[in-house]
Amino acid sequence: MAKINAQEVMLQCGTFLLAIFVAEIVYRVSLFIEEIQQMLNQGQRRSLSCLKIIQKATISVISNKQNQNISITVLAILAVSFLYFRPVNISFMEVVGRMCPIIIAWTFLRIWWSFDNSLEDMDILEENHAELGPGLAANYWCSFLMPALMANIRQKMEDNL
């Protein structure tokens, strides 16, 4: 059994934290591209300038609802400090090699919504005034309740019995 030393632990922590930081940036870039494409498909290209579209997409991708800017800053500082103050001599390419599998795994887990929180999604819907209640009520009325009430069910039952 290999002995675990503090230098290796600091190196692993720094590598993991920096990899998660980079993966989160990659994920946010993919969200940004998706948001830009959605805005262009909705026809906002004509009504907004290119700079306004980029600004609107950036604001929608980077949320500050749960103090993400503070946590991502702390994450980056911790990662860099763990890697910078390590007494182990390791090349930059070896650190990158250790980070790549973590970056890929984290990015795919985020893209496939493995870490998404449904409460956060509900907050976003509420902020944009896109709750599901009115739509569900209208759907229920149009598809079931209105035809049932206007069909004169008593008369049809008497005719068919």
Side-chain angles (χ1 to χ4, degrees):
M1 188 166 148
K3 186 177 179 182
I4 300 173
N5 57 13
Q7 293 90 5
E8 186 64 29
V9 170
M10 286 181 62
L11 178 65
Q12 288 294 333
C13 288
T15 303
F16 284 136
L17 290 174
L18 190 60
I20 290 172
F21 176 75
V22 171
E24 193 64 30
I25 290 173
V26 170
Y27 171 68
R28 297 298 169 117
V29 167
S30 71
L31 284 179
F32 178 78
I33 292 169
E34 184 179 325
E35 189 70 24
I36 292 272
Q37 288 174 347
Q38 188 177 30
M39 286 180 180
L40 293 177
N41 289 341
Q42 289 177 350
Q44 293 185 6
R45 177 178 27 188
R46 294 181 194 105
S47 63
L48 295 174
S49 68
C50 185
L51 186 61
K52 289 288 187 183
I53 290 175
I54 291 173
Q55 182 181 15
K56 192 173 179 182
T58 304
I59 289 171
S60 67
V61 167
I62 300 173
S63 171
N64 196 23
K65 182 105 177 141
Q66 285 121 1
N67 295 323
Q68 289 179 358
N69 58 352
I70 295 171
S71 60
I72 202 76
T73 305
V74 169
L75 179 71
I77 290 170
L78 280 173
V80 170
S81 64
F82 278 140
L83 290 175
Y84 183 74
F85 295 116
R86 71 189 186 288
V88 177
N89 288 333
I90 188 169
S91 69
F92 175 74
M93 291 308 292
E94 190 174 343
V95 171
V96 170
R98 289 181 177 201
M99 286 174 37
C100 283
I102 301 165
I103 291 170
I104 292 168
W106 185 270
T107 302
F108 281 122
L109 286 172
R110 290 283 284 157
I111 287 173
W112 292 326
W113 304 321
S114 297
F115 297 131
D116 284 358
N117 185 353
S118 59
L119 292 175
E120 185 176 312
D121 294 342
M122 291 302 293
D123 287 343
I124 291 170
L125 288 172
E126 189 176 309
E127 284 176 1
N128 294 323
H129 304 292
E131 290 99 5
L132 299 176
L136 290 175
N139 184 25
Y140 177 69
W141 170 256
C142 292
S143 65
F144 174 71
L145 198 55
M146 186 175 66
L149 292 176
M150 305 202 51
N152 198 0
I153 295 173
R154 181 169 296 185
Q155 182 64 34
K156 287 186 178 184
M157 287 181 71
E158 289 174 4
D159 292 343
N160 291 328
L161 292 176

